[in-house]
Amino acid sequence: MVIVLAPGADEAVIEEIKQIVGEAGGEAFISKGVSRTIIGVVGNAGVLEALEARDLTQHAGVHEVLRVTTPYKLVSKENHAQTSTVMVGDVPIGPATVTLIAGPCAVETPEQTLASAKLAVTAGATILRGGAYKPRTSPYAFQGLGVAGLKILQEVGQEVGMPIVTEVIDAADVDVVAQHADMLQIGTRNMQNFSLLRAAGAAGKPVLLKRGLTSTYDEWFMAAEYIAQRGNLNIVLCERGIRTFEPSVRNTLDVSAVPMVHGLTHLPVIVDPSHAAGRRDLVLPLARAGLGAGADGLIVDVHSSPEQALCDGPQALFGDSLTELSQVMATFPALLGRAQPQR
Ligand code: PEP
Ligand code: MN
């Protein structure tokens, strides 16, 4: 059961509802989005019946009460027909815009990060990406600069005037990442790291949740539900390719994921053509496909000197491919009836 509060409902209303739910033997989880608060109720059939008998729709401050049939309740479209808009700093990700997040795969040096951020700006990006904690397949590969990398990314973000998103791979690092970043990224390999999801949900920052390499839609949405259940509805999903039998691309971008997310959840969804392809020549075609399918934005790797990149150089855009991305950003939003966020 989901209890949607009326706009402007205050803490007193939340406390009253929590008490009623507790009296009925249930547990209440409060989730606050940009424009509304919803209370997810967990309990057995008896609890839900007891609450229905009390008819909470008559309670001052309650907008509606919904019996949600999907296993993911807080992120389901059943309780919120409109796609939500998530604010990252002052940049929206939602149905009205096409938001470009761009930057280097990894933060390597202040110079490389700043040069790459400037390229991101020229491509039309309004949010800067960059990894300080890298989830590498090999323990011998560059693991990221950690806190030093967070500081570099934050400083560069301020210099170029963009909020920043960066990955957190360990629940123990959530607080320090949240201190520096405007948005926390949960990577594909951690999509079902439930303690990390809970910690990220409680951190008070929007979360970018990438789809697991081999995850179904339901598993992905349930992972988002973990974040929402910790009180945070500011979640953006990211389709970044799934593992298939085809070896010539690193992963296979599942374009169907975009309309499926929009059909089943109220969360915005963006596409990562860079990590899907693993190769530069496919990034633009996949970006166009994602936007054509209705994605609310893109996250793209760019690098000022990809041949020297410590991570994912072969997929990073620069030069002509970057110019092409800027052309996509200049033309696609209008074609799709969306605005490009202004810097
Ligand atoms: C990344 O965005 O840097 C990254 C590691 O992505 P993914 O988790 O999708 O592989
Ligand atoms: Mn990468």
Side-chain angles (χ1 to χ4, degrees):
M1 175 182 281
V2 167
I3 302 162
V4 183
L5 300 189
D10 58 12
E11 289 302 319
V13 173
I14 295 175
E15 282 311 314
E16 283 162 22
I17 303 290
K18 267 170 79 174
Q19 195 177 335
I20 294 171
V21 171
E23 283 165 10
E27 203 179 346
F29 292 91
I30 320 300
S31 300
K32 293 182 180 171
V34 172
S35 59
R36 70 212 177 100
T37 297
I38 65 182
I39 301 179
V41 177
V42 175
N44 59 26
V47 170
L48 300 184
E49 268 165 35
L51 287 172
E52 268 170 3
R54 292 197 62 165
D55 194 6
L56 288 168
T57 54
Q58 300 306 315
H59 197 285
V62 172
H63 173 58
E64 58 182 340
V65 177
L66 302 160
R67 199 125 187 210
V68 182
T69 55
T70 51
Y72 38 92
K73 303 188 183 311
L74 301 172
V75 307
S76 168
K77 199 174 177 84
E78 281 184 32
N79 84 61
H80 197 231
Q82 238 57 47
T83 299
S84 298
T85 297
V86 171
M87 296 302 296
V88 182
D90 57 1
V91 177
I93 303 180
T97 47
V98 173
T99 303
L100 176 60
I101 304 173
C105 179
V107 174
E108 299 164 20
T109 65
E111 296 74 23
Q112 163 262 1
T113 306
L114 180 59
S116 303
K118 286 181 176 168
L119 294 180
V121 170
T122 64
T126 49
I127 301 173
L128 177 64
R129 66 149 288 149
Y133 297 88
K134 296 305 303 174
R136 303 306 297 278
T137 301
S138 164
Y140 304 111
F142 176 58
Q143 303 287 307
L145 299 178
V147 176
L150 295 175
K151 288 182 178 152
I152 293 171
L153 191 67
Q154 188 177 25
E155 275 166 27
V156 169
Q158 281 161 2
E159 186 163 345
V160 296
M162 284 197 276
I164 60 171
V165 56
T166 194
E167 180 164 355
V168 55
I169 61 178
D170 191 320
D173 298 325
V174 164
D175 283 348
V176 69
V177 175
Q179 275 162 29
H180 293 89
D182 300 288
M183 180 181 225
L184 307 180
Q185 176 174 326
I186 308 261
T188 194
R189 293 161 190 80
N190 272 313
M191 192 207 81
Q192 284 190 314
N193 180 336
F194 299 115
S195 52
L196 178 61
L197 294 171
R198 285 196 198 94
K205 290 282 166 84
V207 177
L208 179 63
L209 180 64
K210 292 190 140 194
R211 181 179 179 187
L213 270 178
T214 58
S215 295
T216 64
Y217 299 136
D218 271 10
E219 287 163 346
W220 190 15
F221 305 158
M222 291 304 281
E225 191 78 10
Y226 268 88
I227 298 167
Q229 204 207 43
R230 282 294 179 270
N232 186 354
L233 280 178
N234 295 312
I235 304 164
V236 176
L237 298 179
C238 177
E239 163 59 39
R240 47 79 70 210
I242 50 174
R243 174 150 294 179
T244 67
F245 49 80
E246 176 52 58
S248 24
V249 284
R250 194 155 78 178
N251 299 284
T252 297
L253 185 74
D254 176 13
V255 179
S256 311
V258 173
M260 288 301 287
V261 168
H262 282 152
L264 293 168
T265 85
H266 62 83
L267 303 179
V269 59
I270 66 171
V271 158
D272 180 344
S274 307
H275 286 85
R279 41 188 272 193
R280 187 173 301 119
D281 60 328
L282 296 184
V283 172
L284 267 300
L286 296 185
R288 289 192 193 92
L291 294 181
D296 302 298
L298 299 169
I299 179 165
V300 176
D301 281 10
V302 305
H303 199 289
S304 49
S305 46
E307 65 293 343
Q308 271 142 34
L310 296 179
C311 182
D312 283 348
Q315 72 197 30
L317 301 191
F318 75 115
D320 289 349
S321 56
L322 202 63
T323 310
E324 219 181 310
L325 177 62
S326 63
Q327 283 159 359
V328 168
M329 288 306 294
T331 53
F332 266 58
L335 288 175
L336 299 165
R338 294 169 179 249
Q340 189 188 338
Q342 301 299 308
R343 278 174 43 80

